[in-house]
Amino acid sequence: MRNQLCSVLCLAVLPAAAMASSHREAPMIAGMPRVDASDFYMFKSYEQGRGDYVTLIANYLPLQDAYGGPNYFKLDPAALYEIHIDNNGDSEEDLTFQFRFKNTYKGLAVPTGAAADVAVPLNNIGAIDKDGANLNVTETYTLSLIRGDRRTGMKSAIASDSGATTFDKPADNIGSKSIPDYASYAQQFIYNIAIPGCSEPGRVFVGQRHDGFVVNLGQVFDLVNLNPLGARNSGSNAIADKNVTSLALEVPASCLTANDDPVIGGWTTASLPQSRILNPTPTGPTASSAGKGPAVEGGAYTQVSRLGSPLVNEVVIGITDKDKFNASEPKNDVDNFGTYVLYPTLPVLVNALFGVPPPATPRNDLLAAFVTGITATVNGSAFKFTAPANLTVPGEMLRLNTAIAAEPIAQQKDLGFLACDLGGFPNGRRPVDDVVDIALTVAEGAITADNPNSLQTCDVSGATPTVVNEGAVVNDGALPDPASYLTVFPYLGTPLPGATTPST
């Protein structure tokens, strides 16, 4: 059975997941990388002394090559980037953190012998420091908190501890000659923030990071040259050389929860104005008194990207509904996409091709993992693992029980719940959680009542959670390296430089 399962998952399951955690997973968003949400993390902060906080990280603009000049990777000033929190179980946002960006083009010029100085084509004309004097384009953003409906609710500006409501975004890691110590440079853009209605301050950072997602792409497309039931470190991470742009928030857990229920749901979205008119004769990068930009955008904001739990749009939603999923809201998921979860197609394809019986349907285990949250028994008594006590409307989102203490990174297990680490995915998601291996193992029945393929899972029915079938993990051979992540906010590693300084 295990040999059959190995062959099947190589051919049928892994290619469907191979485009990583929402890295251009739907037809329309594939052509809109600046508003493509690639990963969403939500976890109890494990930086020393921050155990009462929750960290939220929404990654956008995936698959960045560090050398991608001269424009590098700027977010869309026409877009709304949002992180939503549901804290009363109705699959609607109760809190929304909204980011809006502005790119300022300076038009730095140098004397060339012409009558007037001539504008340079480069992103910077010298070494870059915090004040950005040598940057030709600077990026800033504002951050707001909306209570209630994200479009009609009460909106309040979030300010830094100095009272400023506009924040600077660091330049991307152009190279070590432009920014010799990028880690120290980026550290200066972590801001303490006063969150309206919160008695304790939070923190925010927006900037380029090393992509923390791990997936073995190359081997999959080389005639499926891997063994998914072999060693979990038998392959390599094909996107290890990619950066991404992170919107990172750290918020007191008490400011996110409601009515003594410790469980929250979270997801991120990006929205754009409905209409765009292209200018055939642009005279500047943006519309201003000095010129007309390349496009005019207007109309109501329309959601074009959505991400809660990883891999849902890749391996669960049918290809004809992927754009619909990106435009939808969790409260409508059961009607729109319930069939995909309860009656998934991949196990059926596995059975048709190789005769490996799929787990019985309807897949209530997947419904719990993706849509309602999981309720488990720990230490002999019922304990909400990820299911809100007052759940009234199921919806796909990432869920976190904030009452479960964070594990220090040295004690974190990258298989999360499957390794009996209740602080890991699907109870939230930490950077180190190997969501590809977890999701594939669960898809083949690891958390069903009978676990037909005898895959690794966690038995929480006794006095102590116990790992069952240790090592029987469906995997892609790419293993997260805890050393590649920070142990402090914003947790994702320093982005790779576009160039290193040559030796002289």
Side-chain angles (χ1 to χ4, degrees):
M1 175 65 72
R2 289 188 63 183
N3 289 337
Q4 284 180 311
L5 183 61
C6 172
S7 299
V8 169
L9 288 169
C10 281
L11 294 172
V13 176
L14 285 171
M19 287 314 294
S21 181
S22 284
H23 289 44
R24 305 179 188 175
E25 83 293 344
M28 187 173 74
I29 204 65
M32 306 166 69
R34 292 198 297 173
V35 287
D36 182 4
S38 60
D39 286 286
F40 179 60
Y41 302 91
M42 182 169 67
F43 55 91
K44 288 295 290 294
S45 297
Y46 46 88
E47 179 180 342
Q48 187 173 1
R50 308 294 287 188
D52 292 332
Y53 286 78
V54 171
T55 294
L56 309 161
I57 305 174
N59 283 350
Y60 282 86
L61 220 169
L63 304 177
Q64 297 177 13
D65 292 314
Y67 50 80
N71 293 303
Y72 296 94
F73 305 98
K74 296 168 179 61
L75 294 176
D76 192 338
L80 298 181
Y81 297 88
E82 296 172 314
I83 296 174
H84 311 283
I85 299 295
D86 169 28
N87 58 25
N88 62 7
D90 63 358
S91 290
E92 297 186 42
E93 66 273 11
D94 298 295
L95 305 170
T96 294
F97 296 93
Q98 184 183 94
F99 298 78
R100 300 194 69 167
F101 291 86
K102 179 180 179 181
N103 301 331
T104 301
Y105 291 78
K106 297 179 180 178
L108 297 177
V110 295
T112 64
D117 291 353
V118 178
V120 302
L122 304 177
N123 194 69
N124 60 298
I125 60 171
I128 299 170
D129 57 16
K130 176 65 166 63
D131 66 18
N134 288 327
L135 270 176
N136 212 357
V137 187
T138 58
E139 297 176 86
T140 58
Y141 63 96
T142 58
L143 176 60
S144 301
L145 172 63
I146 303 167
R147 295 185 182 274
D149 184 274
R150 57 179 164 170
R151 297 293 174 261
T152 62
M154 181 179 5
K155 184 175 182 178
S156 304
I158 292 178
S160 69
D161 53 5
S162 68
T165 55
T166 298
F167 303 88
D168 293 323
K169 175 181 175 292
D172 293 338
N173 198 355
I174 296 168
S176 56
K177 188 173 183 179
S178 292
I179 311 175
D181 183 356
Y182 192 88
S184 296
Y185 165 73
Q187 181 74 22
Q188 300 174 88
F189 295 85
I190 297 176
Y191 296 94
N192 293 321
I193 53 175
I195 303 172
C198 256
S199 59
E200 298 295 327
R203 290 190 287 185
V204 66
F205 170 83
V206 175
Q208 192 179 51
R209 294 286 88 191
H210 184 214
D211 197 331
F213 188 75
V214 173
V215 65
N216 183 3
L217 283 178
Q219 295 297 105
V220 170
F221 290 112
D222 182 23
L223 299 178
V224 197
N225 186 12
L226 51 79
N227 176 11
L229 281 177
R232 293 183 57 225
N233 62 351
S234 60
S236 60
N237 175 22
I239 61 172
D241 61 346
K242 304 299 183 185
N243 293 328
V244 72
T245 299
S246 295
L247 284 59
L249 279 168
E250 190 181 52
V251 182
S254 60
C255 296
L256 299 176
T257 58
N259 301 322
D260 298 322
D261 190 338
V263 177
I264 58 174
W267 69 101
T268 183
T269 64
S271 301
L272 288 170
Q274 283 184 339
S275 63
R276 166 181 282 188
I277 300 175
L278 299 181
N279 183 356
T281 57
T283 55
T286 59
S288 69
S289 59
K292 297 179 179 179
V296 176
E297 298 175 275
Y301 280 98
T302 299
Q303 182 179 304
V304 295
S305 180
R306 169 189 169 190
L307 179 60
S309 295
L311 301 170
V312 172
N313 212 0
E314 288 79 359
V315 302
V316 178
I317 307 300
I319 193 169
T320 55
D321 278 336
K322 289 182 180 294
D323 289 330
K324 181 178 181 179
F325 181 86
N326 272 344
S328 64
E329 299 181 50
K331 65 182 180 181
N332 299 318
D333 283 346
V334 172
D335 290 339
N336 288 338
F337 313 110
T339 299
Y340 290 121
V341 177
L342 289 170
Y343 302 92
T345 57
L346 288 178
V348 175
L349 295 174
V350 167
N351 186 40
L353 291 171
F354 298 97
V356 176
T361 57
R363 291 293 300 273
N364 291 319
D365 60 315
L366 297 184
L367 185 73
F370 291 132
V371 181
T372 65
I374 298 170
T375 299
T377 301
V378 178
N379 296 327
S381 61
F383 184 81
K384 292 180 299 171
F385 178 33
T386 57
N390 57 352
L391 179 68
T392 57
V393 179
E396 191 286 305
M397 64 185 77
L398 197 61
R399 288 184 171 84
L400 174 69
N401 189 331
T402 63
I404 297 177
E407 290 282 356
I409 195 166
Q411 279 76 57
Q412 292 176 16
K413 297 179 175 62
D414 60 30
L415 287 175
F417 174 74
L418 297 184
C420 292
D421 180 352
L422 301 187
F425 182 72
N427 184 33
R429 179 188 174 188
R430 305 166 302 196
V432 78
D433 290 336
D434 193 343
V435 294
V436 170
D437 289 7
I438 298 170
L440 293 177
T441 304
V442 168
E444 286 305 307
I447 63 172
T448 58
D450 57 351
N451 192 1
N453 293 312
S454 299
L455 297 170
Q456 179 171 321
T457 190
C458 180
D459 180 1
V460 292
S461 63
T464 303
T466 304
V467 176
V468 179
N469 302 321
E470 185 171 5
V473 176
V474 182
N475 71 87
D476 64 344
L479 197 62
D481 177 10
S484 68
Y485 307 108
L486 304 179
T487 59
V488 297
F489 183 81
Y491 294 101
L492 297 183
T494 301
L496 302 175
T500 57
T501 303
S503 58
T504 55

